[in-house]
Amino acid sequence: MDHAEQHIRDIHTSSPVIRKRNSPYIDHDSRQENDHLPDRGIENETGTLGSQERHTKVQDDRPHPSPLPGGHPGAYRRASHISTESRIASGQASRVSIPQPSQPGSPSTLVRPRLDMVLQDGEADLDTYGIEEFRDGFFDASFFPQRKRDGDVMREKAYSSLPTSFQNNQRKPVMGQVLEQLEAAIGVLTRICTTRASIKFLKSFMAVYIAFIICLIPTCREWLGRYNYMLVVSAILNHPGRPVGSQIEGALMTSLGMACGLAWGCLAVYVSEATGPARAGSGGLIALFLVLFTIILGWLRCIFIRFYQAVISAGVALYYVCLANTKQGLSMRKISDFAIPWLLGQVICLVVCFTLFPSAGSRPLAVSFHFAFESILAQFEPESDDSNALKHRLSWHFVDLSTAVRDFALDFSFSRYRPADSKEVRNLIQGIVRAALAMRSDPLRNPPFLMDESSPPSIGPGSNSAHLVRESLGKPAHELRIAMREGVRRADAVLMDMSGHRKYIGPDPDVSSNLEQIMEDLTVAIKTFDTADQAITEHPDLPLRYSNDPDLVEIFLFVNPLRLAAGKVLDLLECVNDIKGKGYRLNKPSYPLGRAFLRSNAQVRHDRGGLTAAVYFGTKTQLQETMKQLEKGELIPHDQEHEIDEHVKAETTRSIQTSVSHDPPKKTDENESIKTKGGQKIAVHKAKTVRLKMWQALHRLQGFESRFAFKITLVTGLAAIPSYLPQSKDWWFVNESWWVVVTIWIAMHPRVGGTAHDLLVRITCAALGALFGGLAYGVGKGNPYINAAFAALFLIPMLYRFTQSSHPRSGLIACLSFTVVSLSAYTNSGDYPIVHVAWTRALAFIVGITAAVTVNALLWPFVARHELRKSLSAMLLHSAILYRSVVARYIYYSDGQAPGPEVVARSEMLEGRLREGFVRIRQLMDLTQHEIRLRAPFDPLPYSALIQSLEAFFESLVQVRQSSLYFRPHMLAGDANSGGEEELLTLRRDAVAAILMTLYVLAGALRSDRPLPRFLPSAAAARQRLLDGMEKVEAAQAIRRDGLLARQGEGRRWADIYHEAYSAALTDIVEELGVLEYYTKEIVGEVGFNGMLTR
């Protein structure tokens, strides 16, 4: 006993590792002695959640000296201006042992039952008996068995999250599949005949068909030369089914590409024929020129997507000069046989585009505006439910608006819209969408005033609080919603009138375009709602705190986003009212030039093929760049009034980690820093060295651009070998086998490889094109009228497939195959049997398709299911970074470092890009349906459920950020002067770290496709401890806090309401972490106790 007592005494007095806890609060006398030291809070993303000093605290009421020089409590950095609920924001915990009673009005009152469910299968004693170890700043993780879940219930939940395309993709009998294809064909015909798509298709078909008819006229055919079908090929590649601005750009691009290809090809042929030795090795010289140009074109095709049409045209022209009719040599006749038909084809397309229902360029933007308004109106419906489908639609429109505005700014347009105005309108509509996404299901549905108009709402003592609020706010909220819906309709009507397409797009003609009246009505409705809101706030019958009344909390959480959305709608109406009087004007391309080279218009993106994968990778790259900007700056808090003691400064600097840098750092000297508006400094790293630049350049060679350039050069180089050999030149020229190389060049995609399904479909289309081309000539013995009839019969469905369906490359191959076979036979009439012409050209296309798809599938293939798993890993990592940013910027910030408008705007921008990421991942999952998997059929259920759960995690995090904006530090307990932050410092650190580590482990497991460990840090247990600590702090400060809150009025109400929303959102995060862990283990498996993988 004596030894034990002496040991405890030694710990209490002399040990540098053990420290007594002075009290739940800091000694105010000691604080007064150290007022010269500045307050250091949790300023950055990882935050100063724990000191780097190693010690353990033992609770004791006796005062103890500070371990740091000057008596400063260096182990506890004060987090100034932190709300009480902000102290829970960094983590979630769950009650697992003997629960302590919550204080009345405590934020944990409503979330305790839900937290108990998270760890219902675990038993743990979380009482530390006043001892706390700081562990050198590392968090103290708790590990519990994963909550047992019903597999059938989880699988049913996963099935409900599947996209419609998966739910309808069930195995059907042959007759059912035939009927389904017939229904799809009927739907296509209906769409062509009843929508604007018919005009777009008619323009494409007319240009191609006119070019085809010209080639059938004998005089024109002879004048155009042997390769007169290049007239039709040119019209197909740059068909006029696009706006005038895009058509002009396409004509310029294809002409420029043709000129470059011809010039390089002529140079190659000239060099190969210049001297006797060169003629002896002409094949090698031409191959060298082809390799060099193909590598360059391959790089340009991947990086500068704006030049896609030029690159494709340059490749076709190059292969024509170097590989077609190689015996002819270089002559002006050979060049004119290609250049004249090509340029004439572009002229035909321009004429058709300008004369046949010309599109000035504003229609796609108008369509995007209109359908976004329709989804917003659906969300504003009183009967609308809080469904995931509607939220997914809103998220998709959020993304589509940005794409439409960007496309409008890329090209020439003649419209009443202005690029700057359309950008402003887009931002306002996205603001409404953001507010609509925050709206919940209407708890004011069927308010009392709608049931009985004769009985006015009564407000008196003794009424239920929720019923009282419903009576007071029900009618104003209903009238506000009606005014908002009418405002959105009228804004839609005005914008559609400005586009000139209201008759075809909507809304109905009976929707008024009078904006002044609805602006006045909406302003009156807002004032009426605000008056009622102020009256109910000051009503004496409402409770001081709303923690024990979830219905009341739900009502206020609905009406506040509704009021915010009303303000956004009013801003939109004012903006539309300002621009509605503008007339038509020619708008020049206004998109930034550097980024414009990396973008292309909508029709080029479609015709290029692989649209889903292309936009997915574009979004992925953009997200990665944004996250790098978010991570790379080191955020150093600005010194407030006095200089810090050297020892404290060293401790503080060591505890700060990498944080948010929203703006790219400017180039400065090594010792310079950039001071932000928030009063913070960003440490600037040294300039890039030559070695670093060399490494980056070499590392770039590992990218997909180099891989594609290598693949396309390899395949086209090998396919062109027969054209160099004397023994194969004859049949190469007679059979026009150079189309093997052209087909490879057109069919190969930088991003998407190809599946067995794609290979089969493209081969079938090529064979059908050759078959119909042979029949077109053979049935009529070369009759041009029959040939034209067959052309119309075949080109109508295949041109539609190329220009408007989701399978453009197979449609393009079919059109090219038919054109080459039919017009080659017609031009060389009688030279060779039609069967010979058909099968040799068909074989060239089939070999080219097979080579392109096979090489893409073998060398660095694109596998959608693998990319889906990696994309989920990246989104988990991005969510962790976003969580860290929210904790740093909105929760644990220092005095004077509250988030300003710029920080909020940057956060909303980042959230918008993450929403786009979820949209692209769902589109990526659709590609997995067409991939053959040898091991077993691909199971999309856990992936779909994981996406759904991760998006719910993200939405909860957005709710945390939005709710934190309503906190005011002086309104809640545990402010800087109370000392309660010392109690919660380590608890906050553990809560944040548990969530971050769980997300990092899940992301790493998905990235490497390795099983998860059986146990992960329990974020629920960390939140449990944090809630317990909060209860102790709040219990001691309850009297002081209530005295403050009673004087706050409406500000107190919103702080209290979002206090509860904040707590509920954090609890949702804890629950979703468990769901994320469950479905991740369904995908990658789990390591058992014996080290074996279990799934």
Side-chain angles (χ1 to χ4, degrees):
M1 178 66 72
D2 294 338
H3 291 288
E5 291 178 355
Q6 181 64 33
H7 178 66
I8 294 175
R9 189 176 297 110
D10 293 339
I11 291 176
H12 281 213
T13 57
S14 61
S15 174
V17 179
I18 304 296
R19 180 185 176 192
K20 296 180 182 179
R21 191 187 301 257
N22 297 337
S23 69
Y25 318 106
I26 296 177
D27 187 353
H28 294 280
D29 295 334
S30 175
R31 290 177 54 83
Q32 292 174 0
E33 296 175 2
N34 297 281
D35 285 342
H36 66 281
L37 294 173
D39 296 337
R40 310 300 291 182
I42 300 175
E43 301 96 344
N44 60 339
E45 288 185 342
T46 54
T48 55
L49 294 175
S51 171
Q52 297 297 321
E53 180 185 3
R54 178 191 302 174
H55 64 274
T56 304
K57 299 192 295 183
V58 181
Q59 185 173 359
D60 190 7
D61 294 333
R62 295 176 297 170
H64 274 267
S66 172
L68 294 179
H72 185 269
Y76 308 102
R77 304 285 185 259
R78 280 199 298 117
S80 303
H81 289 194
I82 302 175
S83 64
T84 303
E85 185 54 31
S86 296
R87 305 174 194 283
I88 345 175
S90 51
Q92 294 75 21
S94 176
R95 172 72 71 184
V96 290
S97 59
I98 302 175
Q100 302 175 2
S102 298
Q103 297 292 330
S106 170
S108 62
T109 304
L110 297 179
V111 302
R112 285 292 190 182
R114 295 172 56 193
L115 290 173
D116 290 339
M117 294 293 295
V118 178
L119 289 175
Q120 63 181 356
D121 300 319
E123 292 295 336
D125 187 1
L126 300 182
D127 193 353
T128 61
Y129 302 98
I131 300 176
E132 186 175 3
E133 184 180 1
F134 270 33
R135 301 166 58 90
D136 287 338
F138 294 100
F139 76 101
D140 189 7
S142 300
F143 298 87
F144 299 102
Q146 187 184 17
R147 174 186 171 186
K148 295 181 180 178
R149 302 177 186 270
D150 190 336
D152 295 335
V153 173
M154 298 300 289
R155 195 162 186 84
E156 183 64 27
K157 178 181 177 181
Y159 184 80
S160 65
S161 67
L162 277 177
T164 307
S165 58
F166 278 90
Q167 295 179 0
N168 297 334
N169 193 23
Q170 303 295 330
R171 290 185 175 274
K172 298 179 181 179
V174 177
M175 185 55 64
Q177 295 181 10
V178 172
L179 293 176
E180 183 178 356
Q181 294 297 324
L182 287 176
E183 292 178 0
I186 294 174
V188 169
L189 291 175
T190 304
R191 180 173 178 267
I192 291 178
C193 298
T194 59
T195 66
R196 184 79 177 183
S198 59
I199 296 177
K200 184 178 177 180
F201 171 72
L202 177 63
K203 294 168 66 175
S204 301
F205 173 74
M206 287 299 296
V208 175
Y209 197 62
I210 289 173
F212 194 90
I213 295 299
I214 290 176
C215 293
L216 295 179
I217 301 174
T219 305
C220 296
R221 183 188 67 218
E222 293 176 1
W223 178 71
L224 291 173
R226 172 186 174 86
Y227 298 99
N228 55 80
Y229 56 72
M230 281 300 168
L231 176 68
V232 185
V233 172
S234 175
I236 291 174
L237 291 178
N238 191 36
H239 62 87
R242 62 191 85 210
V244 172
S246 300
Q247 189 65 39
I248 295 174
E249 179 186 340
L252 294 176
M253 286 291 182
T254 52
S255 300
L256 175 65
M258 180 267 298
C260 292
L262 289 178
W264 187 263
C266 291
L267 178 62
V269 175
Y270 174 78
V271 170
S272 66
E273 296 177 350
T275 62
R279 284 192 293 271
S282 60
L285 290 174
I286 291 178
L288 177 61
F289 274 85
L290 286 179
V291 166
L292 291 176
F293 202 60
T294 303
I295 290 177
I296 296 173
L297 291 181
W299 264 81
L300 291 176
R301 184 172 173 180
C302 295
I303 299 175
F304 301 110
I305 305 176
R306 190 70 177 269
F307 295 98
Y308 168 77
Q309 292 171 296
V311 169
I312 291 296
S313 302
V316 176
L318 173 67
Y319 298 134
Y320 164 79
V321 174
C322 295
L323 304 179
N325 194 9
T326 53
K327 287 187 174 182
Q328 183 179 354
L330 185 61
S331 64
M332 289 300 301
R333 178 62 182 175
K334 183 176 183 179
I335 297 174
S336 63
D337 283 350
F338 184 92
I340 293 177
W342 190 273
L343 294 176
L344 184 58
Q346 296 305 308
V347 171
I348 293 173
C349 291
L350 283 173
V351 171
V352 171
C353 186
F354 272 92
T355 58
L356 189 63
F357 303 103
S359 175
S362 61
R363 189 177 187 278
L365 182 60
V367 170
S368 182
F369 284 157
H370 175 68
F371 285 111
F373 284 134
E374 284 194 343
S375 296
I376 292 172
L377 288 173
Q379 181 70 1
F380 286 170
E381 284 282 356
E383 295 79 13
S384 65
D385 55 349
D386 193 21
S387 65
N388 290 326
L390 183 55
K391 288 187 175 181
H392 291 166
R393 281 174 52 195
L394 287 170
S395 297
W396 187 87
H397 288 301
F398 189 95
V399 175
D400 183 62
L401 284 169
S402 297
T403 304
V405 171
R406 181 172 59 244
D407 291 344
F408 184 71
L410 276 173
D411 296 324
F412 287 96
S413 61
F414 185 74
S415 172
R416 294 176 63 185
Y417 293 154
R418 307 288 188 269
D421 295 338
S422 62
K423 183 178 180 181
E424 185 178 359
V425 171
R426 177 206 64 184
N427 293 338
L428 292 172
I429 296 176
Q430 287 180 336
I432 299 175
V433 170
R434 196 179 291 112
L437 286 170
M439 291 176 59
R440 307 187 178 196
S441 57
D442 188 0
L444 299 175
R445 196 176 299 174
N446 299 324
F449 77 92
L450 290 179
M451 301 178 185
D452 188 2
E453 292 288 348
S454 62
S455 58
S458 60
I459 304 178
S463 301
N464 178 270
S465 298
H467 182 69
L468 177 66
V469 174
R470 285 193 182 96
E471 286 186 330
S472 301
L473 295 182
K475 187 173 182 178
H478 181 73
E479 293 176 351
L480 182 63
R481 178 175 276 190
I482 291 176
M484 290 166 57
R485 286 178 52 80
E486 184 63 23
V488 171
R489 287 195 188 95
R490 295 194 182 187
D492 186 16
V494 172
L495 289 174
M496 295 307 104
D497 287 336
M498 293 179 63
S499 71
H501 298 285
R502 180 176 179 180
K503 178 180 178 181
Y504 310 103
I505 300 175
D508 295 334
D510 57 348
V511 178
S512 173
S513 298
N514 186 358
L515 295 183
E516 290 78 6
Q517 181 62 42
I518 190 57
M519 289 169 61
E520 181 179 351
D521 295 344
L522 182 57
T523 303
V524 171
I526 290 175
K527 291 181 178 179
T528 303
F529 178 86
D530 290 344
T531 302
D533 182 65
Q534 181 67 25
I536 197 63
T537 300
E538 299 172 353
H539 200 278
D541 286 351
L542 288 185
L544 184 62
R545 292 188 62 92
Y546 306 137
S547 301
N548 296 322
D549 197 338
D551 293 337
L552 193 60
V553 172
E554 193 67 24
I555 291 174
F556 283 126
L557 288 178
F558 167 76
V559 297
N560 191 39
L562 181 67
R563 172 62 180 84
L564 293 176
K568 299 289 186 182
V569 173
L570 185 59
D571 293 340
L572 174 66
L573 290 172
E574 293 174 353
C575 176
V576 175
N577 190 54
D578 291 339
I579 68 175
K580 70 177 183 180
K582 296 183 178 180
Y584 284 93
R585 191 186 75 176
L586 178 64
N587 300 311
K588 300 177 181 179
S590 58
Y591 202 70
L593 187 62
R595 287 185 290 167
F597 290 152
L598 308 178
R599 308 280 185 179
S600 61
N601 57 64
Q603 192 61 48
V604 171
R605 290 196 302 270
H606 174 274
D607 296 348
R608 182 170 175 251
L611 179 60
T612 300
V615 296
Y616 159 74
F617 281 109
T619 302
K620 179 182 177 181
T621 302
Q622 192 177 45
L623 262 178
Q624 289 174 344
E625 293 175 353
T626 303
M627 290 301 172
K628 285 181 181 179
Q629 294 294 333
L630 200 64
E631 289 183 291
K632 70 180 182 181
E634 184 181 358
L635 199 66
I636 302 177
H638 176 59
D639 295 339
Q640 304 284 329
E641 298 176 358
H642 307 283
E643 293 186 359
I644 304 178
D645 182 88
E646 291 300 325
H647 181 84
V648 178
K649 184 175 182 179
E651 290 289 331
T652 306
T653 306
R654 187 174 59 177
S655 66
I656 296 176
Q657 307 296 328
T658 303
S659 181
V660 184
S661 172
H662 289 299
D663 297 321
K666 301 176 182 179
K667 293 184 178 180
T668 59
D669 296 335
E670 180 178 357
N671 297 324
E672 290 182 352
S673 61
I674 301 172
K675 191 171 183 179
T676 64
K677 290 186 177 181
Q680 296 166 334
K681 297 179 180 179
I682 301 175
V684 181
H685 301 286
K686 294 181 179 180
K688 293 182 179 179
T689 62
V690 176
R691 290 188 302 167
L692 177 59
K693 293 180 179 180
M694 291 177 59
W695 177 87
Q696 289 178 336
L698 293 175
H699 187 71
R700 184 66 182 268
L701 296 177
Q702 302 177 20
F704 81 97
E705 304 94 342
S706 299
R707 296 176 180 180
F708 175 74
F710 172 77
K711 288 191 294 185
I712 195 71
T713 303
L714 174 66
V715 183
T716 54
L718 293 177
I721 288 178
S723 66
Y724 314 139
L725 304 178
Q727 58 269 30
S728 57
K729 280 187 176 182
D730 291 336
W731 64 262
W732 179 271
F733 163 66
V734 169
N735 300 323
E736 296 188 359
S737 298
W738 62 281
W739 275 100
V740 174
V741 185
V742 175
T743 303
I744 295 171
W745 178 248
I746 293 176
M748 247 182 159
H749 195 279
R751 286 293 192 181
V752 182
T755 63
H757 176 268
D758 296 333
L759 178 62
L760 179 62
V761 170
R762 292 173 193 173
I763 288 178
T764 302
C765 288
L768 286 175
L771 175 63
F772 272 80
L775 291 175
Y777 180 84
V779 170
K781 306 294 185 182
N783 189 308
Y785 298 100
I786 296 179
N787 210 339
F790 269 89
L793 183 65
F794 184 80
L795 290 177
I796 287 176
M798 291 304 169
L799 272 177
Y800 176 84
R801 187 176 180 89
F802 169 50
T803 59
Q804 299 191 34
S805 77
S806 57
H807 309 283
R809 281 181 289 177
S810 58
L812 174 60
I813 293 297
C815 293
L816 294 178
S817 176
F818 173 83
T819 300
V820 171
V821 171
S822 61
L823 292 181
S824 293
Y826 190 74
T827 302
N828 303 316
S829 179
D831 292 348
Y832 300 97
I834 184 57
V835 176
H836 177 83
V837 173
W839 80 261
T840 52
R841 274 63 171 182
L843 182 62
F845 280 98
I846 291 173
V847 170
I849 293 169
T850 305
V853 174
T854 303
V855 172
N856 259 341
L858 294 179
L859 295 179
W860 302 295
F862 170 83
V863 183
R865 60 181 182 275
H866 294 171
E867 196 60 46
L868 177 63
R869 173 173 48 78
K870 295 176 183 178
S871 66
L872 286 171
S873 170
M875 290 302 289
L876 281 166
L877 186 60
H878 296 337
S879 299
I881 296 173
L882 180 63
Y883 173 75
R884 194 177 66 183
S885 175
V886 169
V887 168
R889 291 293 189 182
Y890 295 89
I891 302 172
Y892 300 130
Y893 54 84
S894 300
D895 189 9
Q897 303 298 328
E902 291 185 0
V903 174
V904 174
R906 295 288 295 182
S907 297
E908 291 177 349
M909 181 272 294
L910 176 59
E911 290 165 3
R913 291 186 175 177
L914 283 171
R915 292 186 194 280
E916 181 178 1
F918 286 113
V919 172
R920 302 309 182 196
I921 288 176
R922 283 194 171 88
Q923 294 174 346
L924 179 65
M925 193 170 67
D926 287 338
L927 298 181
T928 61
Q929 300 182 79
H930 306 296
E931 292 182 343
I932 296 178
R933 191 165 183 255
L934 299 179
R935 186 192 309 170
F938 176 72
D939 185 11
L941 289 179
Y943 292 90
S944 178
L946 188 60
I947 296 172
Q948 185 80 12
S949 179
L950 185 55
E951 190 169 17
F953 179 93
F954 165 73
E955 294 294 346
S956 298
L957 194 52
V958 172
Q959 178 66 39
V960 168
R961 183 192 65 79
Q962 293 175 342
S963 300
S964 67
L965 296 175
Y966 291 88
F967 287 110
R968 297 297 181 266
H970 62 274
M971 293 182 182
L972 299 171
D975 57 64
N977 296 323
S978 67
E981 72 284 345
E982 180 179 352
E983 278 291 302
L984 304 175
L985 182 62
T986 308
L987 302 178
R988 292 197 300 262
R989 177 202 65 194
D990 293 346
V992 170
I995 293 177
L996 290 177
M997 183 174 181
T998 300
L999 292 173
Y1000 292 154
V1001 171
L1002 296 180
L1006 284 170
R1007 177 72 183 180
S1008 60
D1009 196 18
R1010 293 184 177 180
L1012 280 173
R1014 180 174 290 270
F1015 299 106
L1016 291 176
S1018 176
R1023 179 161 170 78
Q1024 166 73 29
R1025 295 191 181 97
L1026 187 57
L1027 289 175
D1028 291 344
M1030 283 185 54
E1031 289 175 2
K1032 294 178 183 178
V1033 173
E1034 289 193 340
Q1037 300 181 15
I1039 299 177
R1040 176 180 175 278
R1041 179 195 63 198
D1042 291 343
L1044 280 175
L1045 293 180
R1047 296 190 297 269
Q1048 299 305 325
E1050 182 182 6
R1052 184 270 303 171
R1053 192 273 302 277
W1054 289 124
D1056 194 16
I1057 287 297
Y1058 277 92
H1059 188 205
E1060 307 303 331
Y1062 187 77
S1063 180
L1066 290 169
T1067 306
D1068 292 338
I1069 288 177
V1070 169
E1071 294 177 342
E1072 291 302 332
L1073 275 179
V1075 179
L1076 289 172
E1077 180 182 351
Y1078 176 86
Y1079 286 116
T1080 303
K1081 288 183 178 179
E1082 288 290 311
I1083 296 174
V1084 301
E1086 178 185 273
V1087 177
F1089 287 112
N1090 56 357
M1092 300 298 292
L1093 171 65
T1094 60
R1095 291 186 182 269

